[in-house]
């Protein structure tokens, strides 16, 4: 089986069609690259061939490099193997770019054009960038760009070097540094591709171009005499400003914890000062450095390989297809309205119920608001809006739930209200209907007591805002059956969320880990640690929000509610009184967070966040002796990580992949680390034990080393290594 077909027509135009067997999207493998190379050799050697079209017969061009291959290259070949492999790819792409021309006279080359029917990402754009022209079909759904940075690497098959030379560093920055993707028209406007044509004209236009191309059309600007980088190279006054600015901006955004961003900047900066072929070598060297960095393997593992595996149902029980056709959502508040939107948007019929009709209508209006914004941004058409809204019935009438195969309950966080709703729903829905609750704090097994069918009762915990947050936490109650789990997973797939499946215990998984993080931050304030030190320590270790900003966002009064409930449940063993003093005190003063424009931070009338609230220092004076930065970081990280390990020990988590993916998508746990377990593997269990022992001595037993970690330290095991997986 081959990935490319090669056909030469009567006029001497060779068409190389990418069509990886058995896949809906082309991905590049090493074998695929070798095949492409062979066909290019044939085309260049065959005097009957005048030029080449590289295209795909699938609806898209390509999704990128198979990242499993990259992982394999690293594991098998080490740094030397990666560098050699990457340089081989460079040689093939350079051969396409030179296309047989004499390097001195730049004459005698054959035109090679990329014809993109749809999406072209990563290597799927790096190959076209080596061609002499890129023509894309006008397909508004297509995405074109270089998203590598999003999984902790950067474009390493010449994409970095070519894009910067084609567009200039400033214009290339959003594509390289932020992984910006454009539709074909946007890509043309941005200078990423050369031409957009009607889909039905794509191949004809490509052929026309090949047959009419002049020798000068085949010479890349950087191979022509007198080439100057658009916007200026680093030693040019304008270029200098770009590079200094970019360096500061990247550091400000990444806090220096993402090796790929730094390496990308080095490749761009150093590469801009040398000839093209040397720049490719510099790119390869930096790319190799990134692949050898444990952070990039951890990011690829969690954000690509394992995330995809979970989305494809890695932990789905063996049950028949449970695709949701009609979902009933009870409670049209903030969460219910969001769940209704994502469901209707995925083509599912929705019945949205609230206690009063105007509340139900407001819930539906939320979808309208999102769709209107989409129309303004030209992402949604008026027809699409009408279609989505027509799928949502907003009502107070439970009878409308008849025919629903899934219910998602999102009413007030109150056991009794939820129990009433459960009984009312079960009176009208069919015997097979699955009932899911979106509770964030109440045990699923307790809520299931109100159900006549506890095996069909499950938790589906969404995060706010529902349309933006990618994670859903599926919670198995004591009696939840496999079909209910399969239903929840199939629903998550339909609405394009990443699911994790956890067992029922206080705060499930995500909240269980976030709460200690917030509490550790607040505890430090009570101890007199400079609040700015707490916040910056968190950011410098890669947390998107410091704990004080995070609790401002989620609101301090919610924190008080949770603290009271936890204290009630734990009694004497409750460990967070010192935290409560600050938390309750803030709430007593009306500083309940962002929603009140007053919390640990100040906010202006428009809700824009200012600095940390100075009044805090009057109540919790800043101590003369401040802890070391690393001490603060260890406390903030270990507060979360130990909770994740305990969740694994307790059987709440059954799969470390879910623990890592859930942590990054659920609460933004330092993505560079690949998640809590990824981080522990990077530092090693022995070092983790050392840190925890020191923290236990200085801070107390909340940092006591879990047995699992101690055993792993003794045996030298890692979470993602074979021995540890068995132990876990
Ligand atoms: P909300 O107050 O915005 O919405 C609750 C809605 O339920 C209201 O519109 C209310 O009128 C309706 N309701 C109350 N009793 C009802 C009944 N008997 N029948 C029909 N409708 C009824 O609350 P929310 O923030 O959307 O939270 C809903 C649920 O989701 C809670 O269990 C909460 O713990 C959980 N949750 C919230 C978040 C969050 O960030 N807000 C995140 C995850 C889970």
């Amino acid at each position: 089986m081959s990935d490319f077909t090669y056909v030469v027509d009567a006029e001497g135009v060779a068409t190389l069609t990418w069509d990886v067997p058995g896949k809906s999207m082309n991905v590049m493998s090493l074998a695929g690259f070798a095949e492409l190379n062979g066909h290019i050799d044939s085309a260049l050697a065959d005097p009957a061939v005048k030029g080449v079209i590289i295209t795909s017969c699938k609806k898209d061009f390509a999704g990128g490099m198979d990242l499993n291959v990259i992982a394999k290259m690293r594991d098998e070949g080490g740094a030397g193997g990666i560098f050699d492999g990457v340089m081989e790819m460079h040689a093939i792409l350079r051969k396409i770019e030179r296309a047989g021309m004499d390097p001195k006279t730049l004459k005698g080359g054959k035109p090679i054009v990329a014809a993109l029917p749809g999406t072209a990402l990563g290597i799927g754009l790096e190959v076209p960038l080596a061609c002499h022209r890129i023509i894309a079909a006008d397909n508004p759904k297509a995405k074109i760009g270089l998203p590598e940075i999003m999984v902790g690497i950067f474009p390493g098959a010449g994409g970095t070097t070519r894009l910067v030379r084609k567009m200039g560093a400033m214009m290339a920055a959003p594509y390289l540094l932020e992984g910006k993707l454009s539709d074909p028209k946007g890509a043309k406007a941005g200078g990423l591709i050369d031409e957009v044509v009607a889909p039905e004209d794509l191949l004809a236009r490509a052929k026309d171009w090949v047959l009419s191309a002049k020798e000068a059309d085949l010479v890349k600007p950087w191979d022509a005499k007198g080439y100057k980088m658009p916007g200026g190279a680093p030693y040019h006054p304008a270029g200098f400003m770009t590079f200094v600015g970019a360096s500061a901006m990247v550091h400000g955004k990444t806090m220096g914890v993402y090796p790929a961003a730094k390496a990308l900047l080095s490749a761009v900066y150093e590469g801009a000062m040398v000839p093209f072929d040397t720049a490719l070598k510099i790119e390869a060297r930096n790319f190799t450095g990134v692949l050898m960095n444990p952070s990039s393997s951890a990011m690829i593992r969690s954000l690509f390989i394992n995330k995809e595996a979970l989305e494809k149902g890695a932990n789905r029980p063996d049950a028949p297809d449970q695709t949701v056709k009609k979902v009933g959502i009870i409670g049209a508040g903030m969460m219910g309205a969001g769940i209704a939107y994502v469901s209707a948007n995925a083509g599912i019929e929705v019945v949205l119920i609230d206690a009063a009709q105007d509340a139900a209508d407001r819930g539906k209006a939320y979808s309208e608001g999102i769709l209107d914004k989409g129309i303004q941004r030209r992402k949604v058409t008026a027809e699409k809006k009408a279609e989505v809204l027509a799928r949502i019935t907003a009502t107070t009438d439970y009878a409308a739930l008849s025919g629903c195969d899934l219910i998602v309950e999102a009413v007030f966080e109150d056991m009794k209200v939820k129990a009433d709703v459960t009984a009312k729903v079960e009176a009208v829905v069919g015997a097979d209907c699955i009932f899911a609750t979106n509770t964030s704090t109440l045990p699923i097994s307790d809520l299931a007591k109100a159900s006549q069918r506890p095996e069909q009762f499950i938790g589906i915990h969404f995060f706010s805002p529902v349309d933006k947050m990618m994670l859903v936490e599926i919670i198995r109650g004591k009696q939840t059956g496999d079909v209910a789990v399969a239903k929840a997973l199939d629903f998550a797939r339909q609405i394009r969320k990443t699911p994790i499946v956890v067992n029922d215990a206080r705060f499930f998984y995500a909240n269980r880990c976030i709460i200690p993080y917030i509490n550790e931050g607040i505890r430090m304030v009570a101890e007199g640690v400079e609040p700015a030190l707490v916040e910056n320590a968190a950011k410098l270790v890669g947390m998107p929000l410091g704990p004080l900003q995070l609790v401002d966002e989620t609101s301090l009064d919610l924190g008080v509610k949770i603290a009271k409930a936890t204290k009630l449940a734990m009694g004497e063993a409750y460990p967070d009184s010192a935290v409560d003093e600050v938390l309750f005190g803030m709430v007593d003063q009306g500083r309940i967070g962002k929603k009140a424009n007053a919390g640990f931070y100040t906010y202006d009338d428009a809700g824009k966040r200012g600095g940390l609230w100075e009044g805090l220092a009057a109540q919790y004076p800043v101590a003369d002796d401040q802890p070391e930065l690393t001490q603060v970081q260890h406390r903030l990280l270990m507060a979360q990580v130990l909770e994740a390990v305990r969740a694994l020990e307790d059987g709440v988590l059954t799969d470390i992949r879910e623990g890592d993916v859930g942590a990054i998508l659920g609460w933004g746990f330092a993505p560079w680390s690949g998640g809590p377990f990824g981080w522990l593997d990077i530092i090693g269990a022995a070092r983790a034990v050392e840190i925890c022992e020191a923290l236990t001595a200085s801070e107390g037993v909340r940092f006591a080393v879990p047995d699992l970690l101690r055993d792993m330290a003794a045996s030298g095991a890692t979470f993602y290594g074979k021995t540890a997986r068995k132990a876990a």
Side-chain angles (χ1 to χ4, degrees):
M1 284 208 292
S2 54
D3 288 0
F4 290 89
T5 57
Y6 176 79
V7 177
V8 184
D9 70 11
E11 285 145 290
V13 176
T15 302
L16 249 171
T17 306
W18 201 350
D19 185 14
V20 178
K23 295 219 169 185
S24 58
M25 175 73 95
N26 290 321
V27 287
M28 186 67 95
S29 61
L30 293 181
F33 236 118
E35 235 187 272
L36 174 67
N37 187 28
H39 291 314
I40 292 293
D41 282 341
S42 312
L44 295 180
D46 182 351
V49 171
K50 296 203 180 79
V52 182
I53 300 172
I54 303 181
T55 190
S56 146
C57 62
K58 299 193 196 289
K59 84 179 173 12
D60 293 310
F61 185 65
M65 190 79 190
D66 182 347
L67 289 180
N68 290 293
V69 171
I70 292 187
K72 205 164 155 222
M73 259 162 69
R74 181 198 52 236
D75 296 345
E76 289 174 4
I82 293 175
F83 183 79
D84 293 346
V86 171
M87 285 310 292
E88 254 169 64
M89 288 185 206
H90 282 321
I92 298 168
L93 295 183
R94 194 66 175 130
K95 178 163 43 185
I96 292 178
E97 192 157 59
R98 293 298 212 165
M101 69 180 72
D102 178 323
K104 287 226 172 72
T105 62
L106 304 176
K107 290 188 186 308
K110 293 185 183 184
I112 302 184
V113 57
L116 316 178
T119 290
L121 299 176
I123 192 83
L125 179 59
E126 291 183 294
V127 172
L129 281 170
C131 297
H132 305 120
R133 193 166 184 83
I134 309 175
I135 305 176
D138 185 9
N139 168 356
K141 288 207 171 129
K143 291 190 171 127
I144 299 180
L146 300 164
E148 284 87 342
I149 199 80
M150 306 306 286
V151 289
I153 54 176
F154 70 90
T160 298
T161 302
R162 285 195 175 86
L163 205 66
V164 169
R165 275 170 158 75
K166 184 171 178 163
M167 308 169 80
M170 185 78 106
M171 299 298 281
Y175 291 105
L176 293 173
L177 282 169
E178 292 161 24
K180 176 181 165 183
L181 306 180
S182 296
D183 63 14
K185 283 198 172 130
K188 160 90 173 64
L192 210 53
I193 64 170
D194 305 305
E195 201 176 331
V196 180
V197 299
E200 60 277 15
D201 298 337
L202 181 65
L203 290 180
R205 172 63 196 135
K207 182 168 166 178
D208 265 3
W209 191 84
V210 165
L211 292 175
S212 62
K214 312 255 174 338
E215 275 190 319
D217 295 335
L218 315 190
V219 181
K220 287 292 173 69
W222 46 90
D223 285 329
K225 249 204 167 123
Y227 166 76
K228 284 205 171 60
M229 183 176 284
Y235 43 76
H236 181 277
F240 174 78
M241 295 308 287
T242 307
F243 280 89
V244 170
S247 187
M249 190 193 79
V250 168
H251 207 79
K253 275 197 178 169
T254 62
M255 296 289 170
V257 292
Y258 292 90
K262 269 193 212 167
L264 169 68
L265 277 183
S266 295
V268 171
Y269 178 82
E270 293 162 30
M273 295 194 279
V274 294
F276 185 79
D277 288 295
T278 314
L280 286 180
K281 246 187 235 169
I282 290 176
E283 184 191 293
R285 196 186 64 211
N286 278 291
F287 186 66
T288 304
V290 164
L291 285 191
M292 292 308 291
N293 188 302
S295 163
S296 86
S297 353
M299 281 181 78
I300 292 177
R301 184 177 58 218
S302 289
L303 290 172
F304 182 78
I305 298 172
N306 291 342
K307 176 173 169 292
E308 201 173 274
L310 298 176
E311 284 161 359
K312 286 192 173 156
N315 290 327
R316 187 184 185 281
D318 189 15
D321 178 42
Q322 295 294 321
T323 302
V324 177
K325 296 188 186 67
K326 182 174 173 188
V327 63
I329 296 164
I330 324 293
M334 185 166 90
M335 299 305 286
I339 301 164
Y341 168 71
V342 295
S343 305
N345 201 37
I348 303 170
E349 197 187 331
V350 175
V351 178
L352 180 60
I353 289 196
D354 207 294
Q357 185 63 41
D358 63 332
D361 291 339
R362 268 199 307 279
K364 179 170 174 176
Y366 177 78
S367 287
E368 193 167 0
I370 297 184
L371 292 160
D372 282 339
K373 267 191 209 141
I375 290 178
Q376 274 167 19
R377 287 197 208 116
R378 298 178 175 213
K379 298 276 178 212
V380 176
T381 60
E383 298 82 67
K384 164 94 179 172
K385 174 186 161 185
E387 249 174 57
V388 173
L389 289 180
R391 287 192 198 111
I392 306 177
T393 306
T395 178
T396 57
D397 181 10
Y398 278 67
L401 295 175
S402 145
C404 282
D405 49 323
L406 173 71
I407 300 293
V408 181
E409 169 276 301
V411 299
F412 297 140
E413 189 74 336
D414 180 299
M415 206 73 155
K416 178 150 176 358
V417 177
K418 287 190 189 290
D420 284 350
V421 165
T422 309
K424 270 168 93 175
V425 168
E426 287 187 357
V428 292
V429 295
D432 294 338
C433 182
I434 301 295
F435 188 104
T437 171
N438 180 47
T439 180
S440 30
T441 56
L442 304 171
I444 304 303
S445 308
D446 289 354
L447 288 170
K449 287 181 186 149
S451 169
Q452 302 294 315
R453 316 154 182 168
E455 72 289 351
Q456 284 162 236
F457 196 99
I458 192 163
I460 304 185
H461 182 212
F462 284 85
F463 293 79
S464 173
V466 177
D467 56 306
K468 298 229 167 66
M469 296 294 286
M470 292 312 300
L471 185 73
V472 290
E473 197 173 10
I474 294 167
I475 304 120
R476 242 182 207 279
K478 282 199 187 75
Q479 299 185 62
T480 304
D482 281 353
V483 173
V485 175
K487 186 94 194 172
L489 285 168
D490 289 359
F491 180 50
R493 177 178 42 76
Q494 282 175 278
I495 58 175
R496 294 168 163 266
K497 301 280 181 204
T498 308
I500 62 170
V501 182
V502 303
N503 286 314
D504 193 15
R506 183 193 304 284
F507 303 139
F508 319 130
Y509 174 60
N511 286 342
R512 171 180 181 151
C513 299
I514 306 168
I515 294 169
Y517 170 62
I518 291 176
N519 283 353
E520 201 58 31
I522 298 178
R523 196 189 312 271
M524 285 193 243
V525 171
E527 290 167 9
V529 178
E530 171 69 72
L533 173 57
V534 175
E535 295 292 90
N536 287 329
K539 288 193 195 151
L540 283 168
V541 87
M543 295 299 295
L545 303 184
L548 305 178
Q549 190 188 341
L550 182 58
V551 70
D552 263 12
E553 299 276 336
T554 56
S555 91
L556 280 72
D557 54 335
L558 177 68
V560 164
K561 253 195 211 163
I562 291 175
K564 282 183 177 162
T566 311
K567 195 168 181 173
L568 199 67
M570 293 185 77
E572 288 291 298
Y574 182 70
D576 290 324
S577 304
V579 176
D580 291 355
E581 218 185 290
V582 181
L583 191 66
F584 287 47
M586 291 285 283
V587 171
D588 287 346
Q589 298 167 70
R591 302 198 70 90
I592 58 171
K594 189 168 193 282
K595 66 181 178 188
N597 276 354
F600 284 105
Y601 283 82
T602 56
Y603 299 84
D604 67 15
D605 292 342
K608 191 167 180 296
R609 190 167 49 87
L612 280 152
W613 178 50
E614 284 176 2
L616 201 57
Q619 288 165 38
Y620 302 97
V622 172
D624 290 340
D625 278 344
Q626 290 294 309
E628 290 289 328
L629 175 68
T630 41
Q631 171 79 359
V632 178
Q633 290 178 321
H634 284 164
R635 285 178 69 174
L636 292 174
L637 274 182
M638 279 301 181
Q640 307 167 69
V641 170
L642 288 182
E643 211 48 56
V645 173
R646 288 182 204 120
L648 183 66
E649 278 188 327
D650 296 352
V652 170
L653 276 179
T654 55
D655 182 339
I656 51 173
R657 295 178 301 176
E658 293 179 314
D660 276 345
V661 173
I664 298 176
L665 299 189
W667 75 95
F669 181 89
W672 65 267
S673 68
F677 300 102
W679 181 65
L680 287 170
D681 272 3
I682 289 175
I683 65 168
R687 173 76 184 124
V689 166
E690 212 177 275
I691 294 172
C692 290
E693 282 176 343
L695 287 177
T696 310
S698 62
E699 314 302 331
V701 290
R702 65 185 181 284
F703 290 106
V705 183
D707 290 343
L708 174 62
L709 213 51
R710 202 178 284 287
D711 293 348
M712 285 172 63
S715 67
T718 60
F719 281 102
Y720 284 95
K722 280 192 197 104
T723 24
R725 209 175 296 147
K726 236 187 266 158

